[in-house]
Coordinates of all heavy atoms in Angstrom, one line a residue:
M1418 N 31.4 66.8 16.7 CA 31.4 68.1 17.3 C 32.1 68.1 18.6 O 31.8 67.3 19.5 CB 29.9 68.6 17.5 CG 29.8 69.9 18.2 SD 28.2 70.4 18.6 CE 27.8 71.3 17.1
A1419 N 33.0 69.0 18.8 CA 33.8 69.1 20.1 C 32.9 69.8 21.1 O 32.1 70.6 20.8 CB 35.0 69.9 19.8
R1420 N 33.1 69.4 22.4 CA 32.5 70.1 23.5 C 33.4 70.2 24.6 O 34.2 69.3 24.9 CB 31.2 69.3 23.9 CG 31.4 67.9 24.3 CD 30.1 67.2 24.6 NE 30.3 65.8 24.7 CZ 30.5 65.2 25.9 NH1 30.7 65.9 27.0 NH2 30.7 63.9 25.9
D1421 N 33.3 71.3 25.4 CA 34.1 71.5 26.5 C 33.6 70.6 27.7 O 32.4 70.5 27.8 CB 34.2 73.0 26.9 CG 34.9 73.8 25.9 OD1 35.7 73.3 25.1 OD2 34.6 75.0 25.9
E1422 N 34.5 70.1 28.5 CA 34.1 69.4 29.7 C 34.8 69.9 30.9 O 36.0 70.2 30.8 CB 34.3 67.9 29.5 CG 33.4 67.3 28.4 CD 33.5 65.8 28.4 OE1 33.7 65.2 29.5 OE2 33.4 65.2 27.3
W1423 N 34.2 69.9 32.0 CA 34.8 70.2 33.3 C 35.2 68.8 34.0 O 34.3 68.0 34.1 CB 33.9 71.0 34.2 CG 33.7 72.4 33.7 CD1 32.7 72.8 32.9 CD2 34.6 73.5 34.0 NE1 32.9 74.2 32.6 CE2 34.1 74.6 33.3 CE3 35.8 73.6 34.7 CZ2 34.7 75.8 33.3 CZ3 36.4 74.9 34.7 CH2 35.8 76.0 34.0
V1424 N 36.4 68.7 34.3 CA 36.9 67.4 34.9 C 37.6 67.7 36.2 O 38.5 68.5 36.2 CB 37.8 66.7 33.9 CG1 38.3 65.4 34.6 CG2 37.1 66.4 32.6
P1425 N 37.2 67.1 37.3 CA 37.9 67.3 38.6 C 39.3 66.8 38.5 O 39.6 65.8 37.8 CB 37.1 66.5 39.6 CG 36.3 65.6 38.8 CD 36.1 66.2 37.5
M1426 N 40.3 67.4 39.1 CA 41.7 67.0 39.1 C 42.0 66.2 40.4 O 41.7 66.7 41.5 CB 42.6 68.2 39.0 CG 42.4 69.1 37.8 SD 43.2 68.3 36.4 CE 42.9 69.5 35.1
L1427 N 42.7 65.1 40.2 CA 43.1 64.3 41.3 C 44.5 64.7 41.8 O 45.4 65.0 40.9 CB 43.1 62.8 41.0 CG 41.8 62.2 40.5 CD1 42.0 60.8 40.1 CD2 40.8 62.3 41.7
G1428 N 44.8 64.7 43.1 CA 46.1 64.9 43.6 C 46.7 66.3 43.2 O 46.0 67.3 43.3
E1429 N 47.9 66.2 42.7 CA 48.7 67.5 42.4 C 48.4 67.9 41.0 O 49.0 68.8 40.5 CB 50.2 67.2 42.5 CG 50.6 67.0 44.0 CD 50.4 68.2 44.8 OE1 50.7 69.4 44.4 OE2 49.8 68.1 45.9
A1430 N 47.4 67.3 40.3 CA 47.2 67.6 38.9 C 46.9 69.1 38.6 O 47.3 69.7 37.7 CB 46.1 66.7 38.3
W1431 N 46.1 69.7 39.5 CA 45.7 71.1 39.3 C 46.9 72.0 39.4 O 47.0 72.9 38.6 CB 44.6 71.5 40.4 CG 44.2 72.9 40.2 CD1 44.3 73.9 41.0 CD2 43.5 73.4 39.0 NE1 43.8 75.1 40.5 CE2 43.3 74.8 39.3 CE3 43.1 72.9 37.8 CZ2 42.6 75.6 38.4 CZ3 42.4 73.7 36.9 CH2 42.2 75.1 37.2
A1432 N 47.8 71.7 40.3 CA 49.0 72.6 40.5 C 49.9 72.4 39.2 O 50.4 73.4 38.7 CB 49.8 72.1 41.7
I1433 N 50.0 71.2 38.6 CA 50.7 71.0 37.4 C 50.1 71.8 36.3 O 50.8 72.5 35.5 CB 50.8 69.5 37.1 CG1 51.7 68.8 38.1 CG2 51.4 69.3 35.7 CD1 51.6 67.3 38.0
V1434 N 48.8 71.8 36.1 CA 48.1 72.5 35.1 C 48.3 74.0 35.2 O 48.6 74.7 34.2 CB 46.5 72.2 35.1 CG1 45.7 73.2 34.3 CG2 46.3 70.8 34.7
Q1435 N 48.3 74.5 36.4 CA 48.5 75.9 36.6 C 49.9 76.4 36.2 O 50.1 77.6 35.9 CB 48.2 76.3 38.1 CG 46.8 76.1 38.5 CD 45.8 77.0 37.7 OE1 46.1 78.0 37.2 NE2 44.6 76.4 37.4
R1436 N 50.9 75.5 36.3 CA 52.2 75.9 35.9 C 52.5 75.9 34.4 O 53.5 76.4 33.9 CB 53.2 74.9 36.5 CG 53.3 75.1 38.1 CD 54.5 74.4 38.6 NE 54.5 73.0 38.4 CZ 54.1 72.0 39.2 NH1 53.6 72.4 40.4 NH2 54.2 70.8 38.9
Q1437 N 51.6 75.4 33.6 CA 51.7 75.3 32.2 C 51.5 76.6 31.5 O 50.6 77.4 31.8 CB 50.8 74.2 31.6 CG 50.9 72.9 32.2 CD 52.4 72.4 32.2 OE1 53.0 72.3 31.2 NE2 52.8 72.0 33.4
A1438 N 52.3 76.9 30.4 CA 52.1 78.0 29.6 C 50.7 77.9 28.9 O 50.3 76.8 28.5 CB 53.2 78.2 28.5
R1439 N 50.0 79.0 28.7 CA 48.7 78.9 28.1 C 48.6 79.8 26.8 O 49.1 80.9 26.8 CB 47.6 79.4 29.1 CG 47.4 78.6 30.3 CD 46.4 77.4 30.0 NE 46.2 76.6 31.2 CZ 45.1 76.7 32.0 NH1 44.2 77.6 31.7 NH2 45.0 76.0 33.0
T1440 N 47.9 79.3 25.8 CA 47.6 80.1 24.7 C 46.1 80.3 24.5 O 45.6 80.9 23.6 CB 48.2 79.5 23.4 OG1 47.6 78.2 23.2 CG2 49.7 79.4 23.4
D1441 N 45.4 79.6 25.5 CA 43.9 79.5 25.4 C 43.4 79.3 26.9 O 44.2 79.0 27.7 CB 43.5 78.3 24.5 CG 42.1 78.3 24.2 OD1 41.2 78.1 25.1 OD2 41.8 78.3 23.0
E1442 N 42.2 79.6 27.1 CA 41.6 79.3 28.5 C 41.5 77.8 28.8 O 41.4 77.4 29.9 CB 40.3 80.0 28.7 CG 39.2 79.4 27.9 CD 37.9 80.1 28.1 OE1 37.8 81.2 28.7 OE2 36.8 79.6 27.6
R1443 N 41.5 77.0 27.7 CA 41.4 75.6 27.9 C 42.8 75.0 28.3 O 43.8 75.5 27.9 CB 40.9 74.9 26.7 CG 39.5 75.3 26.3 CD 39.2 74.8 24.9 NE 40.0 75.5 23.9 CZ 40.1 75.1 22.6 NH1 39.4 74.1 22.2 NH2 40.8 75.8 21.8
V1444 N 42.8 73.9 29.0 CA 44.1 73.2 29.4 C 44.7 72.6 28.2 O 45.9 72.8 27.9 CB 43.8 72.1 30.5 CG1 45.1 71.4 30.7 CG2 43.2 72.7 31.7
F1445 N 43.9 72.0 27.3 CA 44.4 71.3 26.1 C 43.6 71.9 24.9 O 42.6 71.4 24.6 CB 44.3 69.8 26.2 CG 45.0 69.2 27.3 CD1 44.2 68.7 28.4 CD2 46.4 69.2 27.4 CE1 44.9 68.1 29.5 CE2 47.0 68.6 28.5 CZ 46.3 68.1 29.5
P1446 N 44.1 73.0 24.3 CA 43.3 73.6 23.3 C 43.4 72.9 21.9 O 43.9 73.5 20.9 CB 43.8 75.1 23.2 CG 45.2 74.9 23.7 CD 45.2 73.8 24.7
V1447 N 43.0 71.7 21.9 CA 43.1 70.9 20.6 C 41.7 70.2 20.5 O 41.0 69.9 21.5 CB 44.2 69.9 20.5 CG1 45.5 70.6 20.5 CG2 44.2 68.9 21.7
S1448 N 41.4 69.8 19.3 CA 40.1 69.1 19.0 C 40.3 67.6 19.4 O 41.3 67.1 19.3 CB 39.7 69.3 17.6 OG 40.5 68.5 16.7
P1449 N 39.1 67.0 19.7 CA 39.2 65.5 19.9 C 39.7 64.8 18.7 O 40.4 63.8 18.8 CB 37.7 65.2 20.2 CG 37.1 66.5 20.8 CD 37.8 67.6 20.0
E1450 N 39.3 65.3 17.5 CA 39.8 64.6 16.3 C 41.3 64.7 16.1 O 41.9 63.7 15.7 CB 39.1 65.3 15.1 CG 37.6 65.1 15.0 CD 36.8 66.1 15.9 OE1 37.4 67.1 16.4 OE2 35.6 65.8 16.1
K1451 N 41.9 65.8 16.5 CA 43.3 65.9 16.4 C 44.0 65.0 17.4 O 45.0 64.3 17.1 CB 43.7 67.4 16.7 CG 45.2 67.6 16.6 CD 45.7 67.5 15.2 CE 47.1 67.9 15.0 NZ 47.7 67.6 13.7
I1452 N 43.5 64.9 18.6 CA 44.1 63.9 19.6 C 44.0 62.5 19.1 O 44.9 61.7 19.2 CB 43.4 64.1 21.0 CG1 43.7 65.5 21.5 CG2 43.8 63.0 21.9 CD1 42.9 65.8 22.8
T1453 N 42.8 62.1 18.5 CA 42.7 60.8 18.0 C 43.6 60.5 16.9 O 44.3 59.5 16.8 CB 41.2 60.6 17.5 OG1 40.3 60.7 18.6 CG2 41.0 59.2 16.9
D1454 N 43.8 61.5 16.0 CA 44.7 61.3 14.8 C 46.2 61.2 15.3 O 46.9 60.3 14.8 CB 44.6 62.5 13.9 CG 43.3 62.6 13.1 OD1 42.6 61.6 13.1 OD2 43.1 63.7 12.5
L1455 N 46.6 62.0 16.3 CA 47.9 61.9 16.8 C 48.2 60.6 17.6 O 49.2 60.0 17.4 CB 48.2 63.1 17.7 CG 48.3 64.4 17.1 CD1 48.4 65.6 18.1 CD2 49.6 64.5 16.1
F1456 N 47.2 60.1 18.3 CA 47.3 58.9 19.0 C 47.4 57.7 18.1 O 48.2 56.8 18.2 CB 46.1 58.7 20.0 CG 46.2 57.4 20.8 CD1 46.9 57.4 21.9 CD2 45.5 56.3 20.4 CE1 47.0 56.3 22.7 CE2 45.6 55.1 21.2 CZ 46.3 55.1 22.3
T1457 N 46.6 57.7 17.0 CA 46.6 56.7 16.0 C 48.0 56.6 15.3 O 48.5 55.6 15.1 CB 45.5 56.9 15.0 OG1 44.2 56.8 15.7 CG2 45.5 55.8 13.9
A1458 N 48.5 57.8 15.0 CA 49.8 57.9 14.3 C 50.9 57.4 15.2 O 51.8 56.7 14.8 CB 50.1 59.3 13.9
A1459 N 50.8 57.7 16.5 CA 51.8 57.3 17.5 C 51.8 55.8 17.6 O 52.9 55.1 17.7 CB 51.6 57.9 18.8
C1460 N 50.6 55.2 17.7 CA 50.5 53.7 17.8 C 51.1 53.1 16.6 O 51.8 52.1 16.7 CB 49.0 53.3 18.0 SG 48.4 53.7 19.6
K1461 N 50.8 53.6 15.4 CA 51.3 53.0 14.1 C 52.8 53.1 14.1 O 53.5 52.2 13.7 CB 50.7 53.8 13.0 CG 51.1 53.2 11.6 CD 50.4 53.9 10.5 CE 50.8 53.3 9.2 NZ 50.1 54.0 8.0
A1462 N 53.4 54.3 14.5 CA 54.8 54.5 14.5 C 55.5 53.5 15.5 O 56.6 53.1 15.2 CB 55.2 55.9 14.9
C1463 N 54.8 53.1 16.5 CA 55.4 52.2 17.5 C 55.0 50.7 17.2 O 55.4 49.8 18.0 CB 54.9 52.6 18.9 SG 55.5 54.1 19.5
G1464 N 54.3 50.5 16.2 CA 53.9 49.1 15.8 C 52.9 48.5 16.8 O 52.8 47.3 17.0
I1465 N 52.0 49.4 17.4 CA 51.0 48.9 18.3 C 49.7 48.8 17.5 O 49.1 49.8 17.2 CB 50.8 49.9 19.5 CG1 52.1 50.0 20.2 CG2 49.7 49.4 20.4 CD1 52.1 51.1 21.3
P1466 N 49.2 47.6 17.3 CA 48.0 47.4 16.5 C 46.7 47.5 17.4 O 46.8 47.1 18.5 CB 48.1 46.0 15.9 CG 48.9 45.3 16.9 CD 49.9 46.3 17.5
D1467 N 45.7 48.1 16.8 CA 44.4 48.1 17.4 C 44.3 48.5 18.9 O 43.7 47.9 19.7 CB 43.8 46.6 17.3 CG 42.3 46.6 17.6 OD1 41.6 47.6 17.2 OD2 41.8 45.6 18.1
L1468 N 44.9 49.7 19.2 CA 44.7 50.3 20.5 C 44.0 51.6 20.4 O 44.3 52.4 19.5 CB 46.1 50.5 21.2 CG 46.1 51.1 22.6 CD1 45.5 50.2 23.6 CD2 47.5 51.5 23.0
R1469 N 43.0 51.8 21.2 CA 42.2 53.0 21.2 C 42.3 53.8 22.5 O 42.6 53.2 23.5 CB 40.7 52.6 21.0 CG 40.4 51.8 19.7 CD 39.0 51.3 19.6 NE 38.7 50.5 20.8 CZ 37.6 50.6 21.5 NH1 36.7 51.4 21.2 NH2 37.4 49.8 22.6
L1470 N 42.1 55.1 22.4 CA 42.1 55.9 23.6 C 41.1 55.3 24.7 O 41.4 55.4 25.8 CB 41.8 57.3 23.3 CG 42.9 58.1 22.6 CD1 42.4 59.4 22.1 CD2 44.0 58.3 23.6
D1471 N 40.0 54.8 24.2 CA 39.0 54.3 25.2 C 39.6 53.1 26.0 O 39.3 52.9 27.1 CB 37.8 53.9 24.4 CG 36.6 53.7 25.4 OD1 36.3 54.6 26.2 OD2 35.9 52.6 25.3
D1472 N 40.5 52.3 25.3 CA 41.1 51.2 26.0 C 42.0 51.8 27.2 O 42.0 51.2 28.3 CB 42.0 50.4 25.1 CG 41.3 49.8 23.9 OD1 40.1 49.5 24.1 OD2 41.9 49.6 22.8
L1473 N 42.6 52.9 27.0 CA 43.5 53.5 28.0 C 42.6 54.0 29.1 O 43.0 54.0 30.3 CB 44.4 54.6 27.5 CG 45.4 54.1 26.4 CD1 46.2 55.2 26.0 CD2 46.2 53.0 27.0
R1474 N 41.4 54.6 28.8 CA 40.5 55.1 29.8 C 40.0 54.0 30.7 O 40.0 54.1 31.9 CB 39.3 55.8 29.1 CG 38.4 56.5 30.0 CD 37.4 57.4 29.2 NE 36.6 56.6 28.4 CZ 35.3 56.1 28.7 NH1 34.9 56.4 29.9 NH2 34.6 55.4 27.9
H1475 N 39.7 52.8 30.1 CA 39.3 51.7 30.9 C 40.4 51.2 31.8 O 40.2 50.8 33.0 CB 38.8 50.6 30.0 CG 37.4 50.8 29.4 ND1 36.3 50.6 30.1 CD2 37.1 51.4 28.2 CE1 35.2 51.0 29.3 NE2 35.7 51.4 28.2
L1476 N 41.7 51.2 31.3 CA 42.8 50.7 32.0 C 43.0 51.7 33.2 O 43.3 51.2 34.4 CB 44.1 50.7 31.2 CG 45.4 50.3 31.9 CD1 45.3 48.9 32.5 CD2 46.5 50.5 30.9
A1477 N 42.9 53.0 33.0 CA 43.1 54.0 34.1 C 42.1 53.8 35.2 O 42.4 53.8 36.4 CB 43.0 55.4 33.5
S1478 N 40.9 53.5 34.8 CA 39.8 53.2 35.7 C 40.1 52.0 36.6 O 40.0 52.1 37.8 CB 38.5 53.0 35.0 OG 37.5 52.7 35.9
S1479 N 40.6 51.0 36.0 CA 40.9 49.8 36.7 C 42.1 50.0 37.7 O 42.0 49.6 38.9 CB 41.3 48.6 35.8 OG 40.2 48.3 35.0
R1480 N 43.1 50.7 37.2 CA 44.3 51.0 38.1 C 43.9 51.9 39.3 O 44.4 51.7 40.4 CB 45.4 51.6 37.3 CG 46.0 50.7 36.2 CD 46.6 49.5 36.9 NE 47.1 48.6 35.8 CZ 46.6 47.5 35.4 NH1 45.4 47.1 35.9 NH2 47.1 46.8 34.5
L1481 N 43.1 52.9 39.0 CA 42.6 53.8 40.1 C 41.8 53.0 41.2 O 42.0 53.2 42.4 CB 41.8 54.9 39.6 CG 42.5 56.0 38.9 CD1 41.6 57.0 38.3 CD2 43.5 56.7 39.8
Q1482 N 41.0 52.1 40.7 CA 40.3 51.2 41.7 C 41.2 50.3 42.5 O 41.0 50.2 43.7 CB 39.3 50.4 40.9 CG 38.3 49.6 41.8 CD 37.3 48.8 41.0 OE1 37.4 48.6 39.8 NE2 36.2 48.4 41.7
E1483 N 42.2 49.8 41.8 CA 43.2 48.9 42.5 C 44.0 49.7 43.6 O 44.4 49.2 44.6 CB 44.2 48.4 41.5 CG 43.6 47.3 40.6 CD 44.6 46.9 39.5 OE1 45.8 47.3 39.5 OE2 44.2 46.1 38.7
L1484 N 44.2 51.0 43.3 CA 44.9 51.9 44.2 C 44.0 52.4 45.4 O 44.4 53.2 46.2 CB 45.5 53.1 43.5 CG 46.7 52.7 42.6 CD1 47.0 53.9 41.7 CD2 47.9 52.2 43.4
G1485 N 42.7 52.1 45.3 CA 41.8 52.5 46.4 C 41.1 53.8 46.2 O 40.5 54.3 47.1
F1486 N 41.1 54.4 45.0 CA 40.4 55.6 44.7 C 38.9 55.4 44.8 O 38.4 54.3 44.4 CB 40.7 56.2 43.4 CG 42.0 57.0 43.4 CD1 43.2 56.4 43.2 CD2 42.0 58.3 43.8 CE1 44.4 57.1 43.2 CE2 43.2 59.1 43.8 CZ 44.4 58.4 43.5
D1487 N 38.1 56.3 45.3 CA 36.7 56.2 45.4 C 36.1 56.2 44.0 O 36.3 57.1 43.2 CB 36.2 57.5 46.2 CG 34.7 57.5 46.4 OD1 34.0 56.7 45.8 OD2 34.3 58.5 47.0
P1488 N 35.3 55.2 43.7 CA 34.7 55.1 42.3 C 33.8 56.4 42.0 O 33.8 56.7 40.8 CB 33.8 53.9 42.4 CG 34.3 53.1 43.5 CD 34.9 54.1 44.5
T1489 N 33.2 57.0 42.9 CA 32.4 58.2 42.6 C 33.3 59.3 42.1 O 32.9 60.1 41.2 CB 31.6 58.7 43.8 OG1 32.4 59.0 44.9 CG2 30.6 57.6 44.2
R1490 N 34.5 59.4 42.6 CA 35.5 60.5 42.1 C 35.9 60.1 40.7 O 36.1 61.0 39.9 CB 36.7 60.6 43.0 CG 36.4 61.2 44.4 CD 37.6 61.4 45.2 NE 38.5 62.4 44.6 CZ 39.7 62.6 45.0 NH1 40.2 61.9 46.0 NH2 40.4 63.5 44.4
S1491 N 36.1 58.9 40.4 CA 36.6 58.4 39.1 C 35.5 58.6 38.1 O 35.7 59.0 37.0 CB 37.1 57.0 39.1 OG 38.2 56.9 40.0
E1492 N 34.2 58.3 38.5 CA 33.1 58.6 37.5 C 33.0 60.0 37.2 O 32.7 60.4 36.1 CB 31.8 58.0 38.1 CG 31.8 56.5 38.2 CD 30.6 56.0 39.0 OE1 29.8 56.8 39.4 OE2 30.5 54.8 39.1
A1493 N 33.2 60.9 38.2 CA 33.1 62.3 37.9 C 34.2 62.8 37.0 O 34.1 63.7 36.2 CB 33.2 63.1 39.2
A1494 N 35.3 62.1 36.9 CA 36.5 62.4 36.1 C 36.3 61.7 34.7 O 37.2 61.8 33.9 CB 37.8 62.0 36.7
G1495 N 35.1 61.1 34.5 CA 34.9 60.5 33.2 C 35.4 59.1 33.0 O 35.5 58.6 31.9
L1496 N 35.8 58.5 34.1 CA 36.3 57.1 34.1 C 35.2 56.1 34.4 O 34.6 56.2 35.5 CB 37.5 56.9 35.0 CG 38.7 57.9 34.7 CD1 39.7 57.8 35.8 CD2 39.3 57.5 33.4
P1497 N 35.0 55.1 33.6 CA 34.0 54.1 33.9 C 34.4 53.1 34.9 O 35.6 52.8 35.1 CB 33.8 53.4 32.5 CG 35.1 53.5 31.9 CD 35.7 54.8 32.4
W1498 N 33.5 52.5 35.6 CA 33.8 51.4 36.5 C 33.2 50.1 36.0 O 32.3 49.9 35.5 CB 33.3 51.7 37.9 CG 34.1 52.8 38.5 CD1 33.9 54.1 38.6 CD2 35.4 52.6 39.2 NE1 34.9 54.7 39.1 CE2 35.9 53.9 39.5 CE3 36.2 51.5 39.4 CZ2 37.1 54.1 40.2 CZ3 37.4 51.7 40.1 CH2 37.8 53.0 40.4

């Protein structure tokens, strides 16, 4: 079941979102299942075995920590520490 989530935007992200054309009130009006399907297809097309979106979430968390971002801000954005 899909659910909407509010996520704080870091840096200039909010300004970028505001400039995008909208067909819906959501920033990305697609289902989680569709995103997973597209990501899996892209990995397969590129010959990347066994990569999950969750792997990228963990990588982003690590990189933000290396750059000195406050862990509490990253946790609020859904990134684990």
Side-chain angles (χ1 to χ4, degrees):
M1418 171 186 273
R1420 60 185 169 88
D1421 293 338
E1422 292 190 33
W1423 289 93
V1424 179
M1426 299 279 181
L1427 299 175
E1429 294 295 314
W1431 182 244
I1433 293 168
V1434 166
Q1435 293 302 328
R1436 291 193 299 265
Q1437 305 307 305
R1439 296 273 182 101
T1440 58
D1441 191 297
E1442 68 180 10
R1443 298 171 292 170
V1444 176
F1445 304 108
V1447 294
S1448 70
E1450 294 80 14
K1451 182 66 173 177
I1452 292 171
T1453 298
D1454 291 346
L1455 291 170
F1456 183 79
T1457 301
C1460 287
K1461 184 176 180 179
C1463 292
I1465 302 171
D1467 196 31
L1468 180 63
R1469 301 171 303 133
L1470 283 168
D1471 195 51
D1472 298 331
L1473 298 181
R1474 190 170 61 93
H1475 287 276
L1476 177 64
S1478 174
S1479 296
R1480 295 298 180 258
L1481 286 172
Q1482 187 175 16
E1483 289 171 8
L1484 292 170
F1486 280 90
D1487 180 356
T1489 58
R1490 289 182 68 189
S1491 296
E1492 287 170 6
L1496 300 172
W1498 286 95

